[in-house]
Amino acid sequence: MTTLNLTYEDDNIFAKILAGDIPSHKVYEDDKTLAFMDVMPQAKGHVLVIPKQKAVELSQLEPEYASAVLMTAKKVMQAQRQVFEREGIIQMQLNGAEAGQTVYHYHVHLIPTNIHQLGKHASTQADMAELAEQAKQLREAIAAAE
Ligand code: AMP
């Protein structure tokens, strides 16, 4: 049995991305959310959406940030459909180590694939040039839809 730790750690990797201390392939940003490419994608075009709130998991997410994350997820999902020509986009979110959560800043995964073809979680590093190109295409698709 594990002990659930809901203390937000300021040095988690997504906090560092939000602070600009480490780079990310940015897809979209507004005052409450940030979306960027997952560096170990479970399918081509895997994006993460995070709130600009210090929440470890869903139980701590404030309503205004929950709403903002979903609105950003909608924009990203529509862009993914267009750019990657996939109808199916998996929306996934893990709460707690037992579920497989590895980064303790709340985030939604948006993965363009079929559930039966979903790759292994947080396993294989992507080509950074490919991620940069995918992020650019998604940014352009989102901008064109605004
Ligand atoms: P979870 O296991 O649900 O907490 O998901 C964490 C996700 O973050 C995994 O899919 C990782 O591949 C991804 N990840 C870890 N480090 C980074 C990073 N520096 N930039 C982008 N994605 C990351």
Side-chain angles (χ1 to χ4, degrees):
M1 175 124 162
T2 55
T3 311
L4 190 59
N5 180 3
L6 294 180
T7 307
Y8 186 87
E9 304 289 351
D10 282 314
D11 62 351
N12 77 75
I13 197 103
F14 294 169
K16 288 180 180 169
I17 286 175
L18 275 177
D21 292 340
I22 64 165
S24 70
H25 298 285
K26 192 197 291 187
V27 168
Y28 178 82
E29 181 169 21
D30 60 23
D31 60 331
K32 290 194 175 58
T33 67
L34 176 69
F36 52 96
M37 304 308 296
D38 193 306
V39 291
M40 289 174 274
Q42 290 180 252
K44 180 180 172 185
H46 183 163
V47 172
L48 300 170
V49 182
I50 68 175
K52 294 182 178 178
Q53 185 213 324
K54 295 181 179 183
V56 171
E57 57 149 45
L58 180 60
S59 64
Q60 299 172 322
L61 197 61
E62 291 165 11
E64 62 187 302
Y65 287 94
S67 156
V69 164
L70 281 186
M71 294 312 288
T72 296
K74 276 176 64 170
K75 289 184 211 277
V76 172
M77 187 197 75
Q78 283 159 329
Q80 285 172 312
R81 280 201 165 136
Q82 202 180 314
V83 170
F84 303 111
E85 297 178 342
R86 299 279 324 218
E87 189 183 315
I89 310 291
I90 296 174
Q91 180 182 329
M92 178 175 87
Q93 191 265 310
L94 308 178
N95 298 286
E98 186 186 18
Q101 186 175 4
T102 55
V103 178
Y104 295 96
H105 180 116
Y106 174 90
H107 51 281
V108 168
H109 298 258
L110 292 168
I111 314 173
T113 191
N114 175 289
I115 190 69
H116 303 295
Q117 295 169 337
L118 189 62
K120 205 163 184 301
H121 184 60
S123 156
T124 309
Q125 192 88 17
D127 180 289
M128 290 300 133
E130 278 178 25
L131 288 190
E133 176 58 26
Q134 289 166 12
K136 177 174 173 281
Q137 290 180 323
L138 288 169
R139 284 196 303 273
E140 286 170 358
I142 290 170
E146 299 266 75

